[in-house]
Amino acid sequence: MAEYNTIRTGAGVRTAQIDEGLRAHMNKVYGTMSVGMLITALAAWAISGLAVTSDPNVTGIMIREGEYLTALGQAIYVSPLKWVIMFAPLAILFFGIGPIMRKASASAAQLGFFVFAVLIGLSLSSIFLIYTQYSIVQTFLVTAVAFAGLSLYGYTTKKDLSGMGTFLVMGVIGLVIAMIINIFLQSPAMMFAISAIGVLIFAGLTAYDTQRIKSDYIAHAQVGDQEWLNKSATFGALSLYLDFLNMFQFLLFFMGSQE
């Protein structure tokens, strides 16, 4: 934020132009993120619909009274393929999508983000088999309200949030490790703690990432880094998309009603 204030002080006549560009940039970030969330939701809902049938003769695997897994459902929820589906988005996020998007054109980077959103939808589709649709929608709306407030705070606050970054990233790494361990332990108490801490971490990341996106735009716009500006909205959208998605999943643990 100190950099942001310094730039604005010395920008002179360019301040109004940068402010106008910043508003357009943030609108594009939120718009791209919203499209990504819509793609994820539709993909998860559609795949979950294809994974369930009322015909017991298809696989014979009953998930609840009168509903059975289809061959697709058996493959993605029961077979060893479920581990690939579970960890593939995480592997892509850490080892693939970032470097690929940085080397790609602006349109290719955006397409990569939308493809990633589909893969996330596949990995999330099981929530429609576990939780009621009402509780999923309710949790989504609560997450949306919380996200909007936190993002607005990050955008408008004069407080420098950059010091939170390292701490929050370390927290995310710790969460991932704890979640992997709990896959084998299956401890409800540990899952409760993970979910509670996860909500707090991604709430902080929402505010932090919003301020970072704003500050980065100001810095690059001042020097006219057009190549970065062309792809920056997609990078920003990806960051906020992940913050929203993770906060939603952790809140669903508390608010979701199971079928």
Side-chain angles (χ1 to χ4, degrees), residues 6 10 28 57 88 93 111 125 136 146 148 164 200 202 235 243 254:
T6 301
K28 187 173 181 181
N57 298 317
L93 181 63
L111 178 61
S125 61
I136 292 172
M164 297 169 54
L200 295 176
F202 285 99
F235 291 126
D243 295 339
F254 296 108

Side-chain angles (χ1 to χ4, degrees), residues 139-151 244 247:
T139 305
F140 180 88
L141 293 176
V142 169
T143 306
V145 171
F147 176 88
L150 290 162
S151 190
F244 185 104
M247 191 157 51

Side-chain angles (χ1 to χ4, degrees), residues 83-95 97 116 119-123 242:
W83 300 108
V84 176
I85 293 171
M86 183 183 301
F87 290 109
L90 192 63
I92 292 171
L93 181 63
F94 280 111
F95 303 111
I97 193 168
F116 179 70
L119 294 177
I120 292 292
L122 174 60
S123 67
L242 292 171

Side-chain angles (χ1 to χ4, degrees), residues 27-37 110 113-114 233-234 237:
N27 286 337
K28 187 173 181 181
V29 168
Y30 290 124
T32 304
M33 172 204 157
S34 298
V35 173
M37 289 302 307
Q110 188 176 73
F113 169 55
F114 293 149
T234 301

